[in-house]
Amino acid sequence: MRSDSVLIPEEEMARQRDLALEVKALPHRPRSYFVVTYGCQMNAHDSEKIAGMLEEMGLLPAPRREEADFVIFNTCCIRENAERKALGNVAWLKEIKRQRPEMMIAVCGCMAQEPGMAERLLKQYRFVDLIFGTSNLYRLPELLLSRLNAGAPLVAVDDADTLPEGVPVRRLRHDAAYLTIMYGCNNFCSYCIVPYVRGRERSRREEDILREAEALAAAGVREIMLLGQNVNSYGLDSAGKPLFPSLLRRLDQVGIERIRFMTSHPKDLSNDLIAAMAESAHVLPQFHLPVQSGSDPILLRMNRHYTRSQYLDRVRKLRAAIPGIGLSTDMIVAFPGETEADFEETLSLVSEVRYDSAFTFVYSPRTGTKAASFPDQIPPEIAKDRITRLIALQEALQRETLSRFLNQEEELLVESVSRRSEEAVSGKGRHGISITLPGGAEDIGKILRCRIVKVKNNTLIGERIP
Ligand code: 5AD
Ligand code: SF4
Protein backbone atom coordinates (compact mmCIF):
# COMPACT_ATOMS: atom_id res chain seq x y z
CA MET A 1 0.00 0.00 0.00
CA ARG A 2 1.27 3.42 -0.90
CA SER A 3 1.19 5.81 2.03
CA ASP A 4 0.88 9.56 1.75
CA SER A 5 3.93 11.61 0.99
CA VAL A 6 5.95 12.08 4.13
CA LEU A 7 8.50 14.60 5.17
CA ILE A 8 10.79 12.43 7.27
CA PRO A 9 10.85 13.94 10.80
CA GLU A 10 14.09 15.53 11.96
CA GLU A 11 14.30 12.97 14.84
CA GLU A 12 14.35 10.13 12.32
CA MET A 13 17.12 11.81 10.31
CA ALA A 14 19.07 12.31 13.57
CA ARG A 15 18.54 8.64 14.39
CA GLN A 16 20.04 7.67 11.02
CA ARG A 17 23.07 9.87 11.76
CA ASP A 18 23.50 8.11 15.14
CA LEU A 19 23.22 4.71 13.44
CA ALA A 20 25.91 5.80 10.98
CA LEU A 21 28.24 6.39 13.94
CA GLU A 22 27.30 2.98 15.31
CA VAL A 23 28.32 1.37 12.01
CA LYS A 24 31.57 3.36 12.11
CA ALA A 25 32.39 1.88 15.51
CA LEU A 26 31.85 -1.74 14.41
CA PRO A 27 35.09 -3.70 14.06
CA HIS A 28 33.70 -5.93 11.29
CA ARG A 29 32.27 -3.15 9.10
CA PRO A 30 33.40 -2.66 5.48
CA ARG A 31 36.28 -0.19 5.10
CA SER A 32 35.90 0.88 1.48
CA TYR A 33 33.11 1.38 -1.04
CA PHE A 34 32.47 1.72 -4.76
CA VAL A 35 29.18 3.00 -6.22
CA VAL A 36 28.25 1.92 -9.76
CA THR A 37 25.68 4.34 -11.18
CA TYR A 38 23.30 3.84 -14.10
CA GLY A 39 20.72 6.18 -15.57
CA CYS A 40 19.81 9.81 -15.16
CA GLN A 41 21.05 12.82 -13.15
CA MET A 42 18.62 11.95 -10.37
CA ASN A 43 20.45 8.64 -9.92
CA ALA A 44 23.85 10.32 -10.18
CA HIS A 45 22.80 12.62 -7.35
CA ASP A 46 21.41 9.69 -5.31
CA SER A 47 24.85 8.09 -5.66
CA GLU A 48 26.38 11.25 -4.19
CA LYS A 49 24.07 10.80 -1.22
CA ILE A 50 24.97 7.11 -0.88
CA ALA A 51 28.66 8.07 -0.89
CA GLY A 52 27.96 10.85 1.64
CA MET A 53 26.25 8.43 4.04
CA LEU A 54 28.93 5.75 3.61
CA GLU A 55 31.67 8.25 4.40
CA GLU A 56 29.83 9.19 7.60
CA MET A 57 30.00 5.49 8.42
CA GLY A 58 33.78 5.68 8.02
CA LEU A 59 34.09 4.03 4.60
CA LEU A 60 36.56 5.38 2.05
CA PRO A 61 36.20 5.31 -1.74
CA ALA A 62 37.93 2.33 -3.42
CA PRO A 63 39.69 2.89 -6.76
CA ARG A 64 38.00 -0.11 -8.43
CA ARG A 65 34.89 -2.12 -7.68
CA GLU A 66 36.79 -5.43 -7.43
CA GLU A 67 38.83 -3.98 -4.56
CA ALA A 68 35.95 -2.50 -2.57
CA ASP A 69 34.57 -4.06 0.62
CA PHE A 70 31.11 -2.74 -0.25
CA VAL A 71 29.86 -2.38 -3.85
CA ILE A 72 26.57 -0.58 -4.44
CA PHE A 73 24.76 -0.84 -7.77
CA ASN A 74 22.50 2.19 -8.12
CA THR A 75 20.31 0.98 -10.96
CA CYS A 76 17.97 2.28 -13.67
CA CYS A 77 15.05 0.49 -15.31
CA ILE A 78 13.76 3.08 -17.79
CA ARG A 79 14.45 0.72 -20.70
CA GLU A 80 15.12 -3.00 -20.80
CA ASN A 81 18.75 -2.61 -21.85
CA ALA A 82 19.50 -0.44 -18.78
CA GLU A 83 18.20 -3.25 -16.62
CA ARG A 84 20.05 -5.94 -18.52
CA LYS A 85 23.32 -4.05 -18.19
CA ALA A 86 22.93 -3.60 -14.44
CA LEU A 87 22.04 -7.27 -13.88
CA GLY A 88 24.98 -8.36 -16.05
CA ASN A 89 27.37 -6.28 -14.00
CA VAL A 90 25.97 -7.56 -10.70
CA ALA A 91 26.42 -11.14 -11.96
CA TRP A 92 30.02 -10.37 -12.94
CA LEU A 93 30.90 -9.66 -9.30
CA LYS A 94 29.78 -13.11 -8.17
CA GLU A 95 33.16 -14.65 -8.98
CA ILE A 96 35.06 -11.82 -7.23
CA LYS A 97 32.92 -12.32 -4.16
CA ARG A 98 33.74 -16.03 -4.18
CA GLN A 99 37.40 -15.07 -3.91
CA ARG A 100 36.73 -12.34 -1.36
CA PRO A 101 33.74 -13.53 0.70
CA GLU A 102 33.88 -10.50 2.96
CA MET A 103 32.81 -8.30 0.03
CA MET A 104 29.27 -6.93 0.43
CA ILE A 105 27.03 -6.13 -2.52
CA ALA A 106 23.93 -3.92 -2.58
CA VAL A 107 21.43 -3.33 -5.38
CA CYS A 108 19.41 -0.16 -5.04
CA GLY A 109 17.69 2.52 -7.14
CA CYS A 110 14.82 2.27 -9.60
CA MET A 111 15.29 -1.34 -10.67
CA ALA A 112 15.28 -2.54 -7.06
CA GLN A 113 11.95 -0.77 -6.61
CA GLU A 114 10.30 -2.55 -9.58
CA PRO A 115 7.47 -4.86 -8.56
CA GLY A 116 8.76 -8.41 -8.18
CA MET A 117 12.43 -7.48 -8.69
CA ALA A 118 13.56 -7.94 -5.07
CA GLU A 119 12.17 -11.50 -5.04
CA ARG A 120 13.88 -12.24 -8.35
CA LEU A 121 17.20 -10.90 -7.07
CA LEU A 122 16.95 -12.92 -3.85
CA LYS A 123 16.36 -16.08 -5.86
CA GLN A 124 18.74 -15.64 -8.78
CA TYR A 125 21.46 -13.50 -7.21
CA ARG A 126 21.90 -15.08 -3.81
CA PHE A 127 25.25 -13.41 -3.24
CA VAL A 128 23.57 -9.96 -3.03
CA ASP A 129 23.54 -8.73 0.59
CA LEU A 130 21.23 -5.75 0.53
CA ILE A 131 18.38 -4.57 -1.73
CA PHE A 132 16.79 -1.18 -1.14
CA GLY A 133 14.55 1.10 -3.16
CA THR A 134 14.65 4.83 -3.88
CA SER A 135 12.28 5.63 -1.02
CA ASN A 136 14.57 3.93 1.52
CA LEU A 137 17.82 5.53 0.43
CA TYR A 138 18.07 7.76 3.50
CA ARG A 139 17.88 4.65 5.73
CA LEU A 140 21.20 3.26 4.48
CA PRO A 141 22.88 3.54 7.95
CA GLU A 142 20.09 1.51 9.53
CA LEU A 143 20.02 -1.02 6.69
CA LEU A 144 23.77 -1.58 6.66
CA LEU A 145 23.82 -1.95 10.43
CA SER A 146 21.00 -4.52 10.36
CA ARG A 147 22.69 -6.43 7.55
CA LEU A 148 26.02 -6.52 9.38
CA ASN A 149 24.34 -7.80 12.51
CA ALA A 150 21.97 -10.26 10.83
CA GLY A 151 24.11 -12.16 8.40
CA ALA A 152 21.27 -12.74 5.91
CA PRO A 153 20.23 -10.73 2.83
CA LEU A 154 18.04 -7.78 3.67
CA VAL A 155 15.31 -6.18 1.52
CA ALA A 156 13.78 -2.70 1.98
CA VAL A 157 11.69 -1.73 -1.00
CA ASP A 158 8.39 -0.41 0.32
CA ASP A 159 6.94 2.36 -1.82
CA ALA A 160 6.26 5.15 0.68
CA ASP A 161 6.70 8.56 -0.93
CA THR A 162 9.42 9.76 1.42
CA LEU A 163 10.86 13.26 1.51
CA PRO A 164 14.09 13.23 3.55
CA GLU A 165 16.03 16.43 4.33
CA GLY A 166 19.65 16.63 5.40
CA VAL A 167 21.08 13.44 3.90
CA PRO A 168 24.86 13.97 3.71
CA VAL A 169 26.17 14.40 0.16
CA ARG A 170 29.62 13.71 -1.20
CA ARG A 171 29.65 15.83 -4.33
CA LEU A 172 31.63 14.60 -7.33
CA ARG A 173 32.24 18.14 -8.57
CA HIS A 174 33.08 21.24 -6.57
CA ASP A 175 32.18 23.80 -9.22
CA ALA A 176 28.76 22.45 -10.24
CA ALA A 177 26.12 20.75 -8.11
CA TYR A 178 22.84 18.92 -8.43
CA LEU A 179 20.00 20.25 -6.32
CA THR A 180 16.81 18.17 -6.13
CA ILE A 181 13.66 20.28 -5.89
CA MET A 182 11.02 17.58 -6.24
CA TYR A 183 10.76 13.80 -6.31
CA GLY A 184 8.46 11.45 -8.18
CA CYS A 185 6.02 11.92 -11.03
CA ASN A 186 2.23 12.00 -11.38
CA ASN A 187 2.01 11.93 -15.14
CA PHE A 188 1.84 8.25 -15.99
CA CYS A 189 2.92 8.59 -19.58
CA SER A 190 1.76 5.21 -20.86
CA TYR A 191 5.28 3.94 -21.72
CA CYS A 192 7.02 5.08 -18.55
CA ILE A 193 7.91 3.14 -15.43
CA VAL A 194 9.17 6.14 -13.42
CA PRO A 195 5.91 6.84 -11.51
CA TYR A 196 5.90 3.20 -10.39
CA VAL A 197 9.46 3.22 -9.06
CA ARG A 198 9.85 6.79 -7.84
CA GLY A 199 6.36 7.37 -6.52
CA ARG A 200 4.05 10.39 -6.57
CA GLU A 201 5.21 13.97 -6.95
CA ARG A 202 6.37 15.65 -3.80
CA SER A 203 8.19 18.96 -3.60
CA ARG A 204 10.80 20.09 -1.14
CA ARG A 205 9.99 23.20 0.90
CA GLU A 206 11.21 26.38 -0.73
CA GLU A 207 13.20 27.39 2.36
CA ASP A 208 15.08 24.06 2.35
CA ILE A 209 15.99 24.52 -1.32
CA LEU A 210 17.10 28.11 -0.80
CA ARG A 211 19.18 27.15 2.23
CA GLU A 212 20.92 24.44 0.23
CA ALA A 213 21.55 26.84 -2.67
CA GLU A 214 23.01 29.43 -0.30
CA ALA A 215 25.32 26.83 1.23
CA LEU A 216 26.45 25.78 -2.24
CA ALA A 217 27.11 29.42 -3.19
CA ALA A 218 29.14 29.89 0.00
CA ALA A 219 31.15 26.77 -0.87
CA GLY A 220 32.11 28.32 -4.22
CA VAL A 221 29.74 26.34 -6.46
CA ARG A 222 29.25 28.24 -9.73
CA GLU A 223 26.45 26.25 -11.32
CA ILE A 224 23.45 24.40 -9.99
CA MET A 225 21.30 21.93 -11.86
CA LEU A 226 17.81 21.78 -10.36
CA LEU A 227 16.50 18.24 -10.55
CA GLY A 228 13.05 16.72 -10.69
CA GLN A 229 11.09 14.36 -12.96
CA ASN A 230 8.90 17.31 -13.85
CA VAL A 231 10.33 20.50 -12.36
CA ASN A 232 7.58 22.56 -13.98
CA SER A 233 5.02 21.22 -11.55
CA TYR A 234 7.21 21.96 -8.53
CA GLY A 235 5.18 22.90 -5.45
CA LEU A 236 1.73 22.91 -6.99
CA ASP A 237 -0.26 25.09 -4.58
CA SER A 238 -3.82 24.33 -3.50
CA ALA A 239 -5.18 26.22 -6.51
CA GLY A 240 -3.02 24.10 -8.78
CA LYS A 241 -0.69 26.98 -9.64
CA PRO A 242 2.88 25.79 -10.05
CA LEU A 243 5.49 27.60 -8.00
CA PHE A 244 8.49 26.84 -10.17
CA PRO A 245 8.70 30.33 -11.74
CA SER A 246 8.73 31.97 -8.30
CA LEU A 247 11.33 29.47 -7.06
CA LEU A 248 13.51 30.34 -10.05
CA ARG A 249 13.15 34.06 -9.33
CA ARG A 250 14.27 33.53 -5.74
CA LEU A 251 17.17 31.27 -6.71
CA ASP A 252 18.28 33.90 -9.20
CA GLN A 253 18.99 36.19 -6.21
CA VAL A 254 21.25 33.72 -4.40
CA GLY A 255 24.31 34.73 -6.39
CA ILE A 256 25.10 31.43 -8.12
CA GLU A 257 26.32 32.30 -11.60
CA ARG A 258 24.62 29.57 -13.61
CA ILE A 259 21.26 27.91 -12.98
CA ARG A 260 19.96 25.03 -15.10
CA PHE A 261 17.09 22.63 -14.58
CA MET A 262 15.80 19.30 -15.81
CA THR A 263 13.33 17.83 -16.80
CA SER A 264 10.28 19.74 -17.98
CA HIS A 265 6.95 18.48 -19.22
CA PRO A 266 5.66 20.56 -22.17
CA LYS A 267 2.09 20.57 -20.78
CA ASP A 268 3.30 22.43 -17.69
CA LEU A 269 5.53 24.95 -19.43
CA SER A 270 3.76 28.17 -18.52
CA ASN A 271 4.13 31.70 -19.88
CA ASP A 272 5.17 32.73 -16.40
CA LEU A 273 8.08 30.28 -16.45
CA ILE A 274 9.22 31.68 -19.79
CA ALA A 275 8.97 35.19 -18.32
CA ALA A 276 10.92 34.16 -15.21
CA MET A 277 13.69 32.74 -17.38
CA ALA A 278 13.81 35.77 -19.64
CA GLU A 279 14.00 38.20 -16.67
CA SER A 280 16.59 36.28 -14.72
CA ALA A 281 20.27 37.09 -14.66
CA HIS A 282 21.54 33.59 -13.97
CA VAL A 283 19.12 31.05 -15.43
CA LEU A 284 20.89 29.86 -18.56
CA PRO A 285 19.30 30.18 -22.02
CA GLN A 286 18.69 26.47 -22.50
CA PHE A 287 15.68 24.21 -22.30
CA HIS A 288 15.29 20.44 -22.33
CA LEU A 289 11.76 19.86 -23.58
CA PRO A 290 11.02 16.18 -24.30
CA VAL A 291 8.55 15.88 -27.18
CA GLN A 292 8.55 12.06 -27.48
CA SER A 293 6.62 12.06 -30.79
CA GLY A 294 5.47 14.47 -33.49
CA SER A 295 2.22 12.63 -34.15
CA ASP A 296 -1.01 13.62 -32.38
CA PRO A 297 -2.56 10.12 -32.23
CA ILE A 298 0.67 8.78 -30.72
CA LEU A 299 0.94 11.66 -28.23
CA LEU A 300 -2.61 10.87 -27.17
CA ARG A 301 -1.85 7.20 -26.64
CA MET A 302 1.33 8.16 -24.80
CA ASN A 303 -0.91 10.16 -22.44
CA ARG A 304 1.19 13.28 -22.92
CA HIS A 305 -1.63 15.85 -22.66
CA TYR A 306 -0.45 18.12 -25.48
CA THR A 307 -0.71 18.18 -29.24
CA ARG A 308 2.00 18.77 -31.77
CA SER A 309 0.77 22.28 -32.40
CA GLN A 310 0.63 23.13 -28.67
CA TYR A 311 4.21 21.89 -28.35
CA LEU A 312 5.35 23.96 -31.33
CA ASP A 313 3.58 26.98 -29.88
CA ARG A 314 5.62 26.65 -26.68
CA VAL A 315 8.83 26.37 -28.65
CA ARG A 316 7.91 29.56 -30.53
CA LYS A 317 7.20 31.37 -27.26
CA LEU A 318 10.49 30.24 -25.75
CA ARG A 319 12.41 31.43 -28.80
CA ALA A 320 10.59 34.74 -28.91
CA ALA A 321 11.32 35.49 -25.25
CA ILE A 322 14.86 34.10 -25.15
CA PRO A 323 16.42 34.53 -28.61
CA GLY A 324 18.99 31.87 -29.50
CA ILE A 325 17.90 29.60 -26.63
CA GLY A 326 19.47 26.13 -26.73
CA LEU A 327 16.82 23.45 -27.20
CA SER A 328 17.12 19.74 -26.61
CA THR A 329 14.60 16.91 -26.51
CA ASP A 330 13.87 13.22 -25.97
CA MET A 331 12.08 11.14 -28.59
CA ILE A 332 10.79 7.60 -28.70
CA VAL A 333 10.38 5.70 -31.96
CA ALA A 334 8.32 2.57 -32.57
CA PHE A 335 5.78 3.20 -29.84
CA PRO A 336 3.03 0.52 -30.18
CA GLY A 337 0.88 1.24 -33.22
CA GLU A 338 3.25 3.88 -34.66
CA THR A 339 2.67 3.87 -38.42
CA GLU A 340 5.14 5.08 -41.02
CA ALA A 341 2.99 8.22 -41.33
CA ASP A 342 3.17 8.80 -37.54
CA PHE A 343 6.93 8.39 -37.64
CA GLU A 344 7.19 10.85 -40.52
CA GLU A 345 5.37 13.37 -38.33
CA THR A 346 8.23 13.02 -35.84
CA LEU A 347 10.76 13.56 -38.63
CA SER A 348 8.91 16.66 -39.79
CA LEU A 349 8.71 18.03 -36.25
CA VAL A 350 12.46 17.61 -35.91
CA SER A 351 12.95 19.51 -39.17
CA GLU A 352 10.62 22.22 -37.98
CA VAL A 353 12.06 22.73 -34.49
CA ARG A 354 15.76 22.20 -35.24
CA TYR A 355 17.03 21.03 -31.89
CA ASP A 356 20.57 21.57 -30.73
CA SER A 357 20.59 18.03 -29.45
CA ALA A 358 18.23 15.10 -29.09
CA PHE A 359 18.19 11.87 -27.14
CA THR A 360 16.52 9.23 -29.27
CA PHE A 361 15.20 5.94 -27.97
CA VAL A 362 13.56 2.83 -29.33
CA TYR A 363 10.40 2.12 -27.36
CA SER A 364 11.01 -0.55 -24.73
CA PRO A 365 7.98 -2.25 -23.13
CA ARG A 366 8.06 -2.01 -19.32
CA THR A 367 6.02 -4.50 -17.34
CA GLY A 368 3.22 -2.81 -15.43
CA THR A 369 2.92 0.23 -17.73
CA LYS A 370 -0.15 0.71 -19.87
CA ALA A 371 1.62 0.66 -23.23
CA ALA A 372 3.22 -2.73 -22.52
CA SER A 373 -0.20 -4.31 -23.08
CA PHE A 374 -1.10 -2.27 -26.18
CA PRO A 375 -1.56 -4.33 -29.36
CA ASP A 376 0.57 -3.61 -32.45
CA GLN A 377 4.01 -3.73 -30.86
CA ILE A 378 6.46 -2.75 -33.59
CA PRO A 379 8.90 -5.39 -34.92
CA PRO A 380 12.57 -4.69 -34.07
CA GLU A 381 13.70 -4.34 -37.70
CA ILE A 382 11.21 -1.49 -38.28
CA ALA A 383 12.24 0.13 -34.99
CA LYS A 384 15.89 -0.07 -36.00
CA ASP A 385 15.20 1.46 -39.41
CA ARG A 386 13.25 4.33 -37.82
CA ILE A 387 15.81 5.17 -35.17
CA THR A 388 18.58 5.14 -37.79
CA ARG A 389 16.64 7.56 -39.98
CA LEU A 390 15.78 9.82 -37.05
CA ILE A 391 19.39 10.00 -35.86
CA ALA A 392 20.64 10.70 -39.40
CA LEU A 393 18.18 13.57 -39.80
CA GLN A 394 18.98 15.06 -36.40
CA GLU A 395 22.72 14.86 -37.05
CA ALA A 396 22.39 16.54 -40.43
CA LEU A 397 20.22 19.34 -39.04
CA GLN A 398 22.36 19.74 -35.94
CA ARG A 399 25.39 20.68 -38.03
CA GLU A 400 23.37 23.57 -39.49
CA THR A 401 21.71 24.53 -36.21
CA LEU A 402 24.98 24.67 -34.30
CA SER A 403 26.65 26.74 -37.00
CA ARG A 404 24.65 29.72 -35.66
CA PHE A 405 27.32 29.87 -32.95
CA LEU A 406 30.21 30.32 -35.41
CA ASN A 407 32.18 33.51 -34.68
CA GLN A 408 29.96 34.14 -31.67
CA GLU A 409 31.18 34.59 -28.13
CA GLU A 410 30.28 31.88 -25.62
CA GLU A 411 31.17 31.13 -22.05
CA LEU A 412 31.83 27.71 -20.62
CA LEU A 413 32.27 26.23 -17.19
CA VAL A 414 35.27 23.96 -17.62
CA GLU A 415 34.37 20.47 -16.47
CA SER A 416 37.30 18.27 -17.47
CA VAL A 417 40.40 17.80 -19.55
CA SER A 418 39.25 16.66 -22.96
CA ARG A 419 39.17 12.92 -23.52
CA ARG A 420 40.89 13.29 -26.88
CA SER A 421 43.72 15.66 -26.03
CA GLU A 422 45.59 16.67 -22.91
CA GLU A 423 45.91 20.21 -24.19
CA ALA A 424 42.19 20.77 -24.47
CA VAL A 425 39.42 21.18 -21.90
CA SER A 426 35.70 20.89 -22.25
CA GLY A 427 32.51 21.89 -20.53
CA LYS A 428 29.01 23.15 -21.22
CA GLY A 429 28.31 26.53 -22.77
CA ARG A 430 25.49 28.80 -21.66
CA HIS A 431 23.21 27.20 -24.25
CA GLY A 432 23.84 23.69 -22.93
CA ILE A 433 26.12 22.65 -25.77
CA SER A 434 29.54 21.07 -25.17
CA ILE A 435 32.49 23.31 -25.98
CA THR A 436 36.14 22.26 -26.29
CA LEU A 437 39.02 24.73 -26.24
CA PRO A 438 42.77 24.85 -25.54
CA GLY A 439 43.57 24.54 -21.85
CA GLY A 440 44.73 22.27 -19.06
CA ALA A 441 43.76 20.78 -15.71
CA GLU A 442 44.32 24.15 -14.00
CA ASP A 443 41.24 25.49 -15.84
CA ILE A 444 38.78 23.01 -14.31
CA GLY A 445 36.06 24.90 -12.43
CA LYS A 446 36.76 28.20 -14.21
CA ILE A 447 34.27 30.04 -16.36
CA LEU A 448 36.11 30.95 -19.57
CA ARG A 449 35.08 33.21 -22.42
CA CYS A 450 35.69 32.03 -25.95
CA ARG A 451 34.91 32.57 -29.61
CA ILE A 452 33.45 29.61 -31.50
CA VAL A 453 35.61 28.74 -34.51
CA LYS A 454 34.31 25.34 -35.56
CA VAL A 455 31.44 22.89 -35.20
CA LYS A 456 32.46 19.26 -34.80
CA ASN A 457 29.57 16.77 -34.52
CA ASN A 458 27.69 17.86 -31.41
CA THR A 459 30.56 19.92 -29.98
CA LEU A 460 31.59 23.51 -30.53
CA ILE A 461 35.31 24.24 -30.80
CA GLY A 462 36.35 27.53 -29.23
CA GLU A 463 39.32 29.85 -29.01
CA ARG A 464 39.97 31.59 -25.74
CA ILE A 465 39.25 35.28 -25.38
CA PRO A 466 41.47 36.82 -22.70
N1 5AD B 1 11.04 3.13 -23.84
C1 5AD B 1 11.87 3.97 -24.47
N2 5AD B 1 12.18 5.18 -23.99
C2 5AD B 1 11.63 5.57 -22.83
N3 5AD B 1 11.74 6.71 -22.11
C3 5AD B 1 11.00 6.59 -21.00
N4 5AD B 1 10.39 5.39 -20.97
C4 5AD B 1 10.76 4.73 -22.11
C5 5AD B 1 10.47 3.46 -22.66
N5 5AD B 1 9.65 2.61 -22.04
C6 5AD B 1 12.53 7.85 -22.55
C7 5AD B 1 11.68 9.10 -22.71
C8 5AD B 1 12.08 9.94 -21.54
C9 5AD B 1 13.52 9.54 -21.37
C10 5AD B 1 14.12 9.86 -20.06
O1 5AD B 1 13.51 8.15 -21.58
O2 5AD B 1 12.04 9.72 -23.92
O3 5AD B 1 11.94 11.33 -21.77
FE1 SF4 C 1 7.98 9.28 -17.17
FE2 SF4 C 1 6.20 10.96 -18.26
FE3 SF4 C 1 6.85 11.21 -15.65
FE4 SF4 C 1 8.64 11.85 -17.53
S1 SF4 C 1 6.66 12.88 -17.21
S2 SF4 C 1 9.03 10.61 -15.68
S3 SF4 C 1 8.21 10.35 -19.16
S4 SF4 C 1 5.78 9.47 -16.62
Side-chain angles (χ1 to χ4, degrees), residues 50 53 70 72 106-110 112-113 130-138 140 143 154-157:
I50 292 168
M53 288 186 278
F70 189 23
I72 303 94
V107 176
C108 69
C110 293
Q113 192 93 44
L130 184 56
I131 301 164
F132 58 99
T134 51
S135 62
N136 283 305
L137 188 84
Y138 74 96
L140 183 55
L143 299 174
L154 192 79
V155 178
V157 291

Side-chain angles (χ1 to χ4, degrees), residues 269-271 274 311-322:
L269 169 48
S270 64
N271 292 341
I274 298 176
Y311 180 91
L312 290 172
D313 182 56
R314 282 172 195 155
V315 168
R316 263 191 300 277
K317 283 189 175 134
L318 273 171
R319 285 191 162 140
I322 308 155

